[in-house]
Amino acid sequence: MDKKTDVRDPDEKVVEIEMERLRAFPNHPFKVIGDSQMIELQDSIKKYGVLNPLIVRPKIEGYYEIISGHRRKYAAEKLGYKKIPVIIRMLQDDEAVVIMVDSNLQREQITPSEKAYAYKMKYDAMKHQGSKEGGLTLGELGEAAGESAKTVQRYIWISRLSDSLLDVVDAKKIGIMQAVDLSFLSEDAQQWVLVAIQETNIVITTQQSAMLKESDKKGELTFPMV
């Protein structure tokens, strides 16, 4: 994990910011929903307040962009908070993406689609940094996340799936290996697969997903073949 995620600079101070001045991180890949974990977080805030300040960065438009703490902000807002404690950091875009992803990957329950988008965002940011600082490997990203380079690559591949197919992956109706194969399909072919799953509730095996990938690559795949 990037050290900047958790280590606070000695000069940094915790201040309170009005909720209305906070904005979500652009294309934030992690869902903020009222699930059981959110209820637990709200119960904790009711008892103890917001113990961990949000990390935000100032924008020239006059608001603050949330780097870490979207769920805390949501929970506190639902409880009627008008202000929330934050740490303000001056961060470049690539730095902000890396910290945003790393801080959220600490959560216990993360869906495949969240990982896919998060790894893709971080990889692109690190690749951009690497073009200036010299080099990047998937292994570096995987090491920070506690996963192998191959696993990270698979998730980056499945980020190319349509949102609807990613929902099916999140519902565990498509396995990760099958999802990787399907990520190589054209948009039309992905839609055919989605329709087939919805209408027949089929379970796609690795053999079938490999066949679909190869047929589409050759330009031979049609809807009746799915």
Side-chain angles (χ1 to χ4, degrees):
M1 181 181 300
D2 193 299
K3 292 181 180 179
K4 293 180 182 178
T5 302
D6 295 322
V7 178
R8 186 187 306 176
D9 188 286
D11 295 329
E12 287 182 331
K13 296 180 180 178
V14 177
V15 297
E16 288 204 335
I17 293 291
E18 294 83 1
M19 290 286 197
E20 61 191 28
R21 299 184 66 190
L22 299 176
R23 301 289 185 277
F25 196 89
N27 300 314
H28 187 248
F30 298 95
K31 299 179 179 71
V32 179
I33 56 178
D35 56 8
S36 59
Q37 286 185 306
M38 181 60 70
I39 293 173
E40 290 177 5
L41 178 57
Q42 287 179 310
D43 288 342
S44 174
I45 292 176
K46 280 181 184 177
K47 293 178 182 178
Y48 310 110
V50 180
L51 298 178
N52 296 317
L54 281 62
I55 297 175
V56 302
R57 66 171 178 165
K59 301 297 288 183
I60 58 174
E61 295 83 358
Y63 61 84
Y64 292 87
E65 188 176 271
I66 303 173
I67 307 299
S68 172
H70 291 78
R71 296 177 72 254
R72 276 165 279 162
K73 189 254 187 183
Y74 178 93
E77 200 165 35
K78 289 295 183 182
L79 292 172
Y81 276 58
K82 301 301 181 184
K83 292 184 177 182
I84 197 166
V86 306
I87 294 170
I88 301 171
R89 285 188 186 166
M90 305 299 293
L91 297 168
Q92 298 298 318
D93 291 345
D94 294 333
E95 293 177 308
V97 167
V98 170
I99 293 175
M100 181 274 295
V101 171
D102 282 349
S103 63
N104 280 278
L105 286 176
Q106 298 176 59
R107 287 165 47 194
E108 292 181 6
Q109 297 179 21
I110 302 175
T111 64
S113 64
E114 290 175 320
K115 274 192 178 183
Y117 288 134
Y119 284 159
K120 179 65 165 60
M121 287 182 71
K122 183 177 177 182
Y123 183 70
D124 288 344
M126 291 175 67
K127 187 164 59 175
H128 186 248
Q129 289 178 321
S131 67
K132 295 175 287 188
E133 298 172 10
L136 165 75
T137 66
L138 288 167
E140 292 176 271
L141 202 164
E143 184 178 356
E147 299 199 89
S148 69
K150 285 185 178 180
T151 297
V152 170
Q153 179 65 83
R154 291 185 185 114
Y155 278 109
I156 291 175
W157 274 329
I158 70 172
S159 71
R160 301 179 301 193
L161 288 172
S162 68
D163 289 343
S164 297
L165 268 182
L166 275 172
D167 287 342
V168 179
V169 177
D170 285 345
K172 299 181 179 180
K173 294 181 179 179
I174 297 177
I176 297 299
M177 297 306 296
Q178 293 92 321
V180 169
D181 284 337
L182 299 179
S183 74
F184 287 88
L185 301 184
S186 64
E187 290 184 12
D188 285 344
Q190 288 190 29
Q191 182 62 27
W192 296 339
V193 172
L194 178 64
V195 170
I197 292 173
Q198 292 173 334
E199 292 185 352
T200 66
N201 206 30
I202 61 171
V203 176
I204 297 177
T205 66
T206 52
Q207 184 178 2
Q208 289 171 324
S209 64
M211 180 275 292
L212 292 170
K213 174 185 173 183
E214 188 62 24
S215 297
D216 196 45
K217 181 180 178 181
K218 294 178 180 178
E220 300 172 351
L221 186 65
T222 61
F223 180 56
M225 296 172 61
V226 177

